[in-house]
Amino acid sequence: MPYLGGDDAVRELRRALSNPNVQSDPLRYRNTILKVIRSMSQGVDVSGLFSEMVKACATVDIVQKKLVYVFLCSYAALNPELSLLVINTLRKDCQDPNPMVPHHTRYPPLVEYVEQPLTAGLRDRAACVRRVAILGWAKLYNLQPTSEIDASVVNELYSLLRDPDPVVIVNCLRALEEILKEEGGVAINKPITHHLLNRLKECDVWGQCDILRVLQRYKPQSDDELFDILSLLDASLVSPHPPVMAATLSLFLHLCPDLPAVSQAALERVRGPLLAACGSASREMRFTALCHIQLLLRSLPGLMGAHYKRFFCGYAEPAYIKQRKMQVLVELVNDENVVMLLDELKGYCTDVNADTAQAAISAIGRIGRSYSDRCLEILTGLLGLKQDHITSAVVQTMRDLVWVCPQCSDTVCVALEGCEETLQDSQGRQALLWLLGVYGERVSSAPYTLEVFIDGVRSEASLGVKMELLTTAMRLFLCRPAETQDMLGRLLHYCIEEETDMCVRDQALLYYRLLHCGIEETRKVLHGPRSDPSLGVLIGRPAEPISQWASSFNTLEPLRQVAVETESVSRGSPEHVTTDLSVTLSGCRVHDVRSGDLSPSPALSPEEFERLWLQRQEDFVRLEERVRCPAVPHCSPQSLQAAMQLLNIQTLAFTPPHALPWRVYLYTHTQHTHSEDTLCRTLILGELLLKVTLQQQPRDDEALRGFLSILTSVLHTLTPESE
Amino acid sequence: MSASAVFVLDLKGKVLICRNYKGDVDMAEIDHFMPLLMIHEEEGLLCPVLSHGSVHFMWIKHSNLYLVATTNKNSNASLVYSFLYKIVEVFTEYFKELEEESIQDNFVVVYELLDELMDFGFPQTTDSKILQEYITQEGAKLEVAKSKVPTTVTNAVSWRSEGIRYKKNEVFIDVIESINVLVNANGSVMSSDIVGSIKLKTMLSGMPELRLGLNDRVLFALTGRDKGKTVVMEDVKFHQCVRLSRFDSDRTISFIPPDGESELMSYRINTHVKPLIWIESVIEKFSHSRVEIMVKVIQRKMKYRQFKKQSVANNVEVRVPVPSDADSPKFKTSTGNAKYVPEKNLVVWTIKSFPGGKEFLMRAHFGLPSVENNELEGKPPITVKFEIPYFTVSGIQVRYMKIIEKSGYQALPWVRYITQSGGKLLTQH
């Protein structure tokens, strides 16, 4: 067919359709109609052919009829007047003894006229006609949502819920949901629920999912009924079809929000099918499964711990799957798998895809919050590759790590030397500058590195780098004034006199005036905290209650939501990252020994701890106390560690989660001011093993009691609220 | 579910065919899809869901097509993806190959299929066996369509029509196992699993009732027999014809089979598999001058359970990656022949027949340009493809296949076992 513009094509087709020779030859007639449909499918507006097509509808050829109805369904709404022409044929077709004819009509939405055939369609003998007619009502309603829907139709639809054909049942449910949208959807009462549950097995995957979704609204009247439903659904929970499995789990979570134990058991039961979905052949399904696993891990961090190998990335997987897998891997790390896991992640750091490589590096950084030595070793090793995108990611990761774990700063300072040469992008340079500013006194080459930056400030394009540079120069000046004074002067001069960007200029003016106020004032303003222990909570968020995410489970939301979250966390200087999670723990601070009085430094090495722990008889005060926190062993060690760190208690060793007996070793120093001048320092060592054993040196009963009350309140905070 | 419309696009984003099911999303929104896809791809944020305003595009890619579902609701993602894949499956069964050309050649059938598959945003009939009875047009061939109602529409057994007749009643059972083994550079097995499937080709008259017996460990434990080799299967999936309630209660696989070819079940076995074919490789890269590759393939000795005979692997294909700027290939092989595939940066070494216990060697030599390619290249793994007939790694066995039909005819079941590679991987140094 030669290419014709839209109008020409339509004219050509009209001529052919109204040609009596064509009309008398069924094959040619059908071919012409085919051409119309083809043009329609390619987006040509063929609505002008409506009247010709209506005529073509009056035929015995069922294929032609089918095609014409495809056309009519698309254009009927646009041509209400002309549609009247088709009514007669439609009515006749709808009464055709062959059920395939009304089935194919699909009831074009011709408001007043289609109601009668639709009503007849609901009572048709053939299931395929009933299926179409039911959805026909939904379409009709959708077209004029304001009109009152006939109560008798609604009743008819309700009665069709008892139809022998499973698709009819499901379509009824779907249509009623649509029609009764205003009233909150179809009424789910006990008989309907039980009926639907009994017929569930007969439906196809799609139908099962729809039924399970609608049933979420049902409130079982008794516990017995609830458990009957749950055991009936147990087989669907481990269904090999991921959508059915997910829909069932979602229903479980909705049915028993007050029974956390049941929800938890359900989550553990779907572990297998979920893992299978993660290995499914379709990458989209894998992605969806991963996103949902991330949701589950928010409440049950230990759920997948033993199966970490399933989340190793395949070579050919797309970047979005790899990144999700790494996010999951970070959550799964524990003492047993950390070596394997880091080894695997290290392999991803040199991935060809720069985004994947950077994601892997930042994943290592996240693990570094709990296993800093191992991770820093890998990160420093990566700097040796001298690849700009890797170096940039490593420096950013180190910045984020140091902010949370200040004990890493020594290694980081050593590693920083010389990496400015490979850094290209502004993010990486910004991170380097921040680190130089904060740890300038420990990086011997800091002023020289800074000088290179300051000399190049004229050609600097990034606003972020300029701002960071100003702050860094100021901070470095405070700790190494002799080496920095000159270049700081040059920088300020440039920024105030020549810089065109207002932000940079204002910042420079601010610093300039600040310096006028004297060095002590400047120090006060610029020396913010070097690290923020409250950020430690980010390491392992305390387990969230399931209800937090249950409503978004098995929808589109988890696929989108997490993507946004990771972006915001990984960028920007740590000072700008705020978290409201610390609020949840701030309640612990009201006791007589405040957490501020505790301090994890000077640090104790594990060997030293062991030595001190074993020599307890001689000079330690010993205290044993039972604490009742059954849920603590279920929360991840990271979140416990984070919570403890927030209160300046250093945890030293854990048994892996779910291991029995579960125990934790921890220590802290107290600095308790009894009066103005005497400062008592004591060392407290502790072992948590359902009961708390504490040892203290030297003796200070009050401090010990205070510490104990802090500890118990932390443990209770970590216990989910439902307990 | 609620997909508002389904689109099939070509690689440039041109709409080949579309079907508006609900009408609550403007059909012009699809014009935003391709630009969005490009932007996200550039930023490395590509993801199977893209959004423009309140419209979400859920898409999959199949050969040179994009299949896109649009929605403006917070719909069930896994269901939409399953549906899109179902579309691919159905179309592939109709047109053999689903690609741009087959859509254009068969757009009427595609339209009809889209119409049957979904109505008002809800999936309807998606079983291709049943659909084939509704929609009988084949491409441009115009036949007078059946005006008889397909029996399956109202049938209790939706996947099999009544009144099928064969002169000779036979069932062919193929047990096919793919093994996936991942070995790292040090030679330790990182992960291994077996994905198996049992395929049927049924040529039986009437409505036969079949029962399949496997050496399934759970069943053996259930019946108290615990002798001989048994297999523990995970993630077992059955064709819809299998009565799941019976399988759950007494592990019997009983069913009325669909006519012709079908996959009865698939399973996964997560055990430690020793690689059947082992690879040792030395790849030496001398920058600016040459790459030398030495690959050794060894097949483990295996005895067939049934026959006392050595196993033979057929069509063994070893794919060794080479740098993209390599040139002037030279090969030396102890058997089979090696070929350089420059467009995939691979050396493919094929061995037609590979007896167990043997080992073969290939040496390859490539030149490298003196000006080095600056681009960072990944280190793709070496992969091996092979097929071993009459053998299953897991040891799964069909113990019996009972065929009962009310006319009481005699039918013959045939069983065949094949093991093949699902992609055996070896990471390089």
Side-chain angles (χ1 to χ4, degrees):
Chain A
M1 195 169 72
Y3 177 78
L4 296 167
D7 287 346
D8 292 341
V10 172
R11 212 171 304 134
E12 193 78 0
L13 285 169
R14 173 171 307 130
R15 203 173 308 137
L17 281 174
S18 36
N19 183 342
N21 291 334
V22 173
Q23 287 182 357
S24 57
D25 180 351
L27 261 183
R28 271 177 76 190
Y29 203 17
R30 197 201 282 181
N31 267 335
T32 319
I33 290 163
L34 272 178
K35 279 183 198 153
V36 176
I37 306 290
R38 181 187 296 242
S39 318
M40 185 174 104
S41 74
Q42 285 162 352
V44 178
D45 180 18
V46 284
S47 57
L49 299 172
F50 201 88
S51 53
E52 283 80 11
M53 289 298 273
V54 168
K55 276 183 218 145
C57 188
T59 171
V60 285
D61 179 4
I62 200 160
V63 177
Q64 182 174 337
K65 222 183 239 318
K66 208 157 43 166
L67 292 174
V68 176
Y69 277 114
V70 167
F71 177 90
L72 291 180
C73 287
S74 318
Y75 288 111
L78 297 175
N79 280 314
E81 290 90 33
L82 284 174
S83 308
L84 300 184
L85 298 173
V86 85
I87 296 297
N88 263 328
T89 333
L90 174 68
R91 287 200 173 169
K92 220 167 73 213
D93 283 344
C94 289
Q95 284 156 9
D96 198 288
N98 176 358
M100 288 320 279
V101 177
H103 174 79
H104 287 308
T105 63
R106 303 217 166 255
Y107 303 102
L110 306 165
V111 184
E112 308 97 273
Y113 305 97
V114 85
E115 284 195 17
Q116 191 243 329
L118 272 180
T119 318
L122 288 183
R123 298 180 193 139
D124 200 283
R125 270 185 315 110
C128 61
V129 179
R130 291 199 299 274
R131 292 177 188 174
V132 180
I134 292 165
L135 288 184
W137 278 109
K139 287 180 209 165
L140 193 64
Y141 176 76
N142 204 33
L143 216 63
Q144 35 169 202
T146 43
S147 72
E148 275 298 306
I149 199 89
D150 196 352
S152 65
V153 174
V154 174
N155 285 338
E156 185 114 28
L157 287 176
Y158 268 115
S159 65
L160 276 173
L161 283 175
R162 311 256 167 202
D163 198 88
D165 183 74
V167 182
V168 170
I169 300 179
V170 180
N171 277 359
C172 261
L173 213 55
R174 292 158 171 166
L176 283 170
E177 282 283 287
E178 189 73 29
I179 293 168
L180 304 173
K181 212 164 19 184
E182 306 280 282
E183 297 154 41
V186 56
I188 294 293
N189 55 24
K190 193 169 168 177
I192 290 183
T193 308
H194 288 200
H195 167 70
L196 289 176
L197 283 171
N198 287 331
R199 304 292 301 270
L200 191 65
K201 278 265 150 46
E202 298 165 36
C203 300
D204 53 11
V205 178
W206 325 108
Q208 290 191 17
C209 292
D210 274 325
I211 292 180
L212 291 168
R213 186 179 44 82
V214 170
L215 289 184
Q216 286 178 7
R217 289 206 300 272
Y218 182 61
K219 295 262 173 296
Q221 280 146 6
S222 68
D223 275 359
D224 285 344
E225 191 193 356
L226 171 68
F227 285 111
D228 282 346
I229 294 176
L230 295 186
S231 32
L232 194 69
L233 288 173
D234 190 65
S236 315
L237 197 58
V238 289
S239 158
H241 300 285
V244 176
M245 177 267 294
T248 318
L249 180 60
S250 183
L251 177 59
F252 263 66
L253 300 180
H254 277 90
L255 284 181
C256 34
D258 311 323
L259 300 165
V262 177
S263 310
Q264 188 159 342
L267 293 179
E268 274 166 23
R269 195 133 165 68
V270 298
R271 174 169 42 203
L274 257 178
L275 283 170
C278 279
S280 95
S282 129
R283 35 162 95 169
E284 287 78 13
M285 290 307 265
R286 259 182 284 161
F287 177 72
T288 315
L290 283 169
C291 294
H292 281 96
I293 284 180
Q294 284 185 301
L295 270 190
L296 300 195
L297 288 181
R298 278 160 61 178
S299 293
L300 281 185
L303 190 64
M304 303 282 176
H307 303 274
Y308 65 97
K309 278 194 180 175
R310 292 285 193 95
F311 299 97
F312 283 0
C313 302
Y315 175 75
E317 276 177 324
Y320 56 82
I321 291 190
K322 285 188 182 172
Q323 289 172 14
R324 287 296 159 115
K325 282 193 169 172
M326 285 185 240
Q327 289 169 14
V328 174
L329 282 175
V330 169
E331 304 277 330
L332 298 186
V333 71
N334 62 34
D335 286 353
E336 279 151 30
N337 61 23
V338 64
V339 178
M340 280 291 273
L341 239 158
L342 284 174
D343 218 41
E344 185 72 17
L345 282 173
K346 196 170 135 190
Y348 306 152
C349 292
T350 46
D351 198 286
V352 194
N353 183 327
D355 295 298
T356 309
Q358 286 179 347
I361 292 167
S362 88
I364 292 179
R366 302 273 296 185
I367 295 174
R369 295 174 186 190
S370 348
Y371 301 92
S372 44
D373 293 345
R374 284 204 184 88
C375 295
L376 277 172
E377 195 182 309
I378 296 177
L379 291 174
T380 344
L382 287 170
L383 286 175
L385 293 175
K386 305 255 179 227
Q387 290 278 339
D388 58 346
H389 69 276
I390 294 179
T391 311
S392 161
V394 170
V395 174
Q396 289 176 57
T397 305
M398 283 180 163
R399 172 198 62 195
D400 296 345
L401 186 61
V402 161
W403 181 248
V404 187
C405 309
Q407 69 270 27
C408 306
S409 58
D410 290 332
T411 326
V412 170
C413 289
V414 176
L416 281 181
E417 309 265 358
C419 67
E420 74 277 357
E421 288 155 24
T422 25
L423 277 176
Q424 298 284 327
D425 64 332
S426 56
Q427 302 274 10
R429 283 181 301 157
Q430 237 170 297
L432 176 68
L433 283 172
W434 187 85
L435 282 166
L436 288 180
V438 177
Y439 295 104
E441 75 273 18
R442 287 199 252 158
V443 184
S444 55
S445 66
Y448 306 103
T449 312
L450 202 64
E451 186 149 29
V452 177
F453 273 99
I454 290 175
D455 289 344
V457 72
R458 263 166 230 279
S459 50
E460 180 58 62
S462 153
L463 172 67
V465 171
K466 284 186 203 166
M467 300 287 271
E468 199 72 66
L469 185 59
L470 271 170
T471 317
T472 305
M474 287 293 285
R475 280 185 177 158
L476 209 56
F477 171 67
L478 291 176
C479 61
R480 303 167 79 159
E483 294 157 283
T484 331
Q485 187 177 12
D486 185 47
M487 57 174 109
L488 176 67
R490 269 186 286 143
L491 179 68
L492 286 177
H493 183 266
Y494 167 80
C495 289
I496 294 169
E497 296 294 328
E498 292 177 48
E499 177 60 49
T500 50
D501 191 284
M502 282 319 256
C503 293
V504 179
R505 206 171 145 260
D506 280 357
Q507 184 87 357
L509 276 171
L510 173 78
Y511 285 146
Y512 180 67
R513 288 173 190 146
L514 194 61
L515 285 170
H516 274 294
C517 303
I519 211 75
E520 274 319 303
E521 280 301 307
T522 317
R523 201 180 295 277
K524 246 189 257 168
V525 172
L526 278 172
H527 265 190
R530 290 187 166 188
S531 63
D532 183 358
S534 73
L535 260 176
V537 179
L538 284 178
I539 298 171
R541 288 154 297 202
E544 278 178 38
I546 290 167
S547 57
Q548 203 102 58
W549 49 264
S551 62
S552 67
F553 187 81
N554 200 25
T555 63
L556 204 54
E557 219 176 301
L559 276 72
R560 306 193 28 72
Q561 189 181 36
V562 197
V564 178
E565 222 171 76
T566 48
E567 272 170 64
S568 68
V569 170
S570 63
R571 299 283 171 252
S573 284
E575 279 139 312
H576 310 310
V577 183
T578 52
T579 167
D580 56 351
L581 284 164
S582 60
V583 177
T584 52
L585 288 166
S586 59
C588 314
R589 300 183 179 218
V590 292
H591 305 281
D592 46 353
V593 174
R594 287 174 302 125
S595 61
D597 297 331
L598 302 174
S599 139
S601 58
L604 268 187
S605 72
E607 294 78 13
E608 206 175 347
F609 181 91
E610 198 178 359
R611 187 180 57 77
L612 289 171
W613 184 259
L614 294 175
Q615 68 168 28
R616 58 190 174 193
Q617 283 81 9
E618 287 97 63
D619 43 13
F620 273 78
V621 185
R622 193 145 192 264
L623 175 81
E624 273 191 31
E625 186 92 36
R626 280 193 91 70
V627 274
R628 278 196 45 79
C629 304
V632 171
H634 297 293
C635 81
S636 75
Q638 287 89 347
S639 64
L640 181 71
Q641 186 180 17
M644 295 293 185
Q645 254 175 13
L646 186 59
L647 301 168
N648 291 327
I649 302 169
Q650 186 65 42
T651 42
L652 209 67
F654 304 95
T655 50
H658 298 292
L660 282 172
W662 180 85
R663 59 175 89 196
V664 174
Y665 289 98
L666 42 87
Y667 71 91
T668 189
H669 301 271
T670 60
Q671 308 176 337
H672 193 52
T673 33
H674 281 293
S675 55
E676 296 301 317
D677 45 6
T678 54
L679 182 75
C680 308
R681 292 184 62 101
T682 66
L683 171 66
I684 301 180
L685 307 176
E687 181 196 34
L688 268 176
L689 192 139
L690 290 176
K691 65 174 192 286
V692 182
T693 314
L694 296 174
Q695 302 189 11
Q696 191 190 30
Q697 174 200 40
R699 187 186 180 91
D700 180 353
D701 276 340
E702 200 186 334
L704 197 59
R705 284 282 152 205
F707 172 75
L708 189 66
S709 75
I710 292 180
L711 191 63
T712 35
S713 57
V714 177
L715 295 178
H716 280 292
T717 320
L718 287 171
T719 312
E721 273 155 31
S722 48
E723 300 264 343
Chain B
M1 166 82 193
S2 50
S4 181
V6 172
F7 296 85
V8 181
L9 310 180
D10 68 4
L11 283 181
K12 293 192 202 82
K14 198 184 89 184
V15 178
L16 292 177
I17 209 158
C18 61
R19 182 77 177 87
N20 189 355
Y21 290 111
K22 258 197 147 153
D24 54 357
V25 173
D26 187 2
M27 292 300 272
E29 287 283 351
I30 194 68
D31 298 339
H32 300 296
F33 172 72
M34 215 53 203
L36 266 176
L37 191 81
M38 307 286 237
I39 293 171
H40 281 84
E41 198 158 17
E42 244 162 62
E43 290 174 2
L45 299 169
L46 199 61
C47 158
V49 195
L50 298 174
S51 306
H52 182 264
S54 62
V55 183
H56 307 293
F57 303 102
M58 280 172 265
W59 61 280
I60 64 172
K61 198 179 166 193
H62 183 89
S63 62
N64 54 359
L65 296 173
Y66 288 106
L67 279 90
V68 188
T70 55
T71 181
N72 56 1
K73 302 214 167 64
N74 188 11
S75 52
N76 183 338
S78 61
L79 209 56
V80 176
Y81 291 128
S82 322
F83 180 72
L84 292 177
Y85 273 99
K86 194 77 201 179
I87 295 185
V88 172
E89 190 188 317
V90 170
F91 284 7
T92 319
E93 254 176 68
Y94 263 83
F95 316 129
K96 293 281 179 291
E97 207 69 50
L98 173 60
E99 51 189 22
E100 197 180 328
E101 292 71 32
S102 55
I103 295 274
Q104 272 170 344
D105 296 346
N106 301 293
F107 72 97
V108 175
V109 182
V110 173
Y111 243 123
E112 287 183 46
L113 283 173
L114 285 177
D115 237 29
E116 294 294 345
L117 283 167
M118 192 178 244
D119 194 4
F120 200 52
F122 300 114
Q124 300 288 309
T125 317
T126 51
D127 192 299
S128 51
K129 286 263 150 42
I130 304 172
L131 282 168
Q132 267 159 17
E133 306 211 354
Y134 273 89
I135 296 161
T136 47
Q137 298 189 54
E138 281 174 28
K141 204 164 72 185
L142 283 164
E143 48 174 81
V144 180
K146 249 192 233 172
S147 55
K148 214 185 89 202
V149 199
T151 45
T152 47
V153 178
T154 44
N155 219 347
V157 184
S158 68
W159 56 90
R160 189 182 174 92
S161 313
E162 273 166 19
I164 297 170
R165 283 276 163 274
Y166 283 99
K167 265 195 205 138
K168 195 173 175 192
N169 291 303
E170 288 175 310
V171 197
F172 298 90
I173 308 162
D174 279 353
V175 182
I176 302 168
E177 286 191 347
S178 308
I179 53 173
N180 292 294
V181 183
L182 185 71
V183 184
N184 73 4
N186 316 330
S188 54
V189 177
M190 298 291 287
S191 70
S192 63
D193 63 8
I194 305 171
V195 182
S197 74
I198 298 185
K199 293 195 170 147
L200 289 184
K201 187 174 179 189
T202 321
M203 298 161 80
L204 295 171
S205 315
M207 277 286 175
E209 170 81 43
L210 269 58
R211 257 171 59 200
L212 178 72
L214 299 172
N215 55 341
D216 170 15
R217 183 174 303 169
V218 182
L219 172 69
F220 275 48
L222 221 63
T223 49
R225 284 174 293 178
D226 204 14
K227 281 178 227 126
K229 186 149 164 82
T230 52
V231 177
V232 189
M233 295 185 283
E234 281 178 54
D235 300 336
V236 187
K237 287 185 198 179
F238 287 110
H239 187 274
Q240 58 158 331
C241 66
V242 176
R243 289 185 191 89
L244 290 176
S245 50
R246 290 217 39 200
F247 182 76
D248 288 341
S249 62
D250 58 5
R251 304 288 281 195
T252 322
I253 303 172
S254 80
F255 55 98
I256 297 173
D259 192 42
E261 287 179 38
S262 57
E263 187 183 82
L264 181 68
M265 63 183 284
S266 65
Y267 55 88
R268 211 172 48 77
I269 298 175
N270 200 2
T271 54
H272 191 85
V273 194
K274 270 199 253 160
L276 299 177
I277 294 192
W278 186 258
I279 297 264
E280 282 169 20
S281 69
V282 181
I283 300 182
E284 276 181 297
K285 188 172 172 182
F286 303 91
S287 275
H288 315 298
S289 67
R290 64 190 198 279
V291 185
E292 280 176 4
I293 300 169
M294 200 272 294
V295 179
K296 188 156 73 169
V297 215
I298 306 153
Q299 193 189 161
R300 230 175 69 210
K301 256 190 193 172
M302 285 164 293
K303 280 270 163 48
Y304 289 113
R305 208 162 294 107
Q306 294 92 335
F307 325 102
K308 295 269 173 273
K309 206 181 127 197
Q310 278 295 327
S311 64
V312 174
N314 290 336
N315 301 323
V316 179
E317 220 179 81
V318 185
R319 293 158 171 264
V320 188
V322 292
S324 60
D325 50 359
D327 55 39
S328 50
K330 276 180 221 141
F331 304 110
K332 218 165 113 189
T333 56
S334 57
T335 188
N337 60 329
K339 207 172 65 185
Y340 176 42
V341 191
E343 60 273 19
K344 286 183 183 151
N345 301 322
L346 282 178
V347 174
V348 181
W349 175 23
T350 27
I351 305 167
K352 277 271 167 285
S353 166
F354 191 160
K358 282 260 161 54
E359 57 174 74
F360 297 116
L361 202 70
M362 178 194 69
R363 283 174 194 282
H365 178 284
F366 285 90
L368 283 179
S370 52
V371 182
E372 202 165 339
N373 191 352
N374 284 332
E375 263 173 61
L376 196 64
E377 278 182 34
K379 286 184 183 162
I382 300 180
T383 50
V384 188
K385 281 169 88 177
F386 58 87
E387 222 179 74
I388 304 175
Y390 317 116
F391 174 79
T392 55
V393 203
S394 65
I396 195 169
Q397 264 179 296
V398 174
R399 290 175 48 246
Y400 60 82
M401 167 69 103
K402 286 186 184 144
I403 303 162
I404 305 149
E405 216 276 335
K406 48 179 187 293
S407 66
Y409 58 69
Q410 283 296 311
L412 290 172
W414 303 88
V415 189
R416 182 164 67 165
Y417 301 93
I418 303 171
T419 293
Q420 60 192 21
S421 58
K424 171 176 159 176
L425 307 173
L426 253 129
T427 15
Q428 273 184 25
H429 331 264

